[in-house]
Amino acid sequence: MDLISLLILFGIVQGFFLGIILILMRSANRRANRVLGYLFVCFSCSICHFFLLRTGLYDRFPFLLRASFPFLFLFGPLYYYYVRILTDRTVVLGKEKWLHGIPFVLSWAYNIPYLMLSHEEKLAYIHTQFNPIWMHMGMILGMVQVIHVFIYIYFILKILRSYDARIRDTASSIEKINLRWLSTGTIVFIAVFALIFVMVILQAIGIPTLAFYTVSIPVIVSIIIYALGYLGLRQPEIFSPAEIQAPVDAIEKKYERSSLTPERTAEYAGRITSYMEQHRPYLDAELTLPALAELLSIPPHHLSQTINSRFNSNFFDFVNMYRVEEAKRLLTDTSKSAYTILALAQDAGFNSKTAFNAAFKRLTGKTPSMYREKARIN
């Protein structure tokens, strides 16, 4: 067994191990964990083909030749439902979820003629027609699988964009609830399947890519499994649900039937500004739109609409604008010169240095340390 085969085998074992752990795990986000667990199992099943191919085990188990291909049709649906559950913990998966498995079933049906062959006929097929991955209809099936995944990725990206907008309209600190890592994972998904698509096309037009394909794809998938396993151990929150207060329907519909008049909007804007300056609720790192709405006695959807229309901002940026102004005051306060920048950021309402640095640089064009140093010089 060569090094590549060993790496693939470890990836298969790790995928099954993580998958079983996630499926059986009892936690607050059990539904999401189970879907992710099934996805890991599918990853492992899909790269079993490459391990059997490289080690010559197809000669001993020829009936497994096409067994791994159908699992690619489950990547898109499982990833899609995983994202849906993470971004909306109230989502209910109805009977229509089984419709997403139709391509998987049809792919298995495509394998039936091969499975009906005798053991000797399967071996003959492997050594004469199989070369060693998709040929003819197999190439078409491979392209269909890639297109199938890209369709789901399109809807996944829409969900992630909607989620990002929603949390910025609801929360003032999003470090614990943003799904940036999931966006990164989606980009990796796109890159891997784009590579598969290109190699299948090149093979179809006569440019040999099989040798590269049979090494690169299983190794990349194995690395993805290792990376997710590592992140799962280092950052357990990666598998946790996004715990945010669900916004009211009017916020989701972007005020399409809002009863808020221009006069009332102006009144609310004045009340908001006055309250923010006098009571400084932004110093609470966990401030949310519903919480501020309750403090102001303003309906949440009206508060969101007022911030969007009168201040030309979402809730996240609106609150962090006040926090940055407070941070600027603290950074130039000589009595606080001994304080660290992180301590001042926390005093201003930020709950992480990363979030503080990003917001401060975006609004001032300088890093907090540069701003502080310039204030000392002046």
Side-chain angles (χ1 to χ4, degrees), residues 120-140:
E120 291 73 20
E121 288 173 325
K122 291 185 178 73
L123 287 176
Y125 177 88
I126 291 174
H127 292 292
T128 58
Q129 298 182 45
F130 187 66
N131 188 30
I133 203 169
W134 298 306
M135 292 295 293
H136 309 303
M137 287 299 295
M139 289 183 183
I140 296 176

Side-chain angles (χ1 to χ4, degrees), residues 270-299:
R271 195 192 304 177
I272 293 167
T273 300
S274 176
Y275 193 89
M276 294 295 284
E277 292 175 353
Q278 293 179 25
H279 298 278
R280 303 194 296 172
Y282 51 84
L283 298 182
D284 177 7
E286 304 302 324
L287 182 67
T288 63
L289 179 80
L292 182 60
E294 184 175 352
L295 292 171
L296 290 165
S297 298
I298 297 176

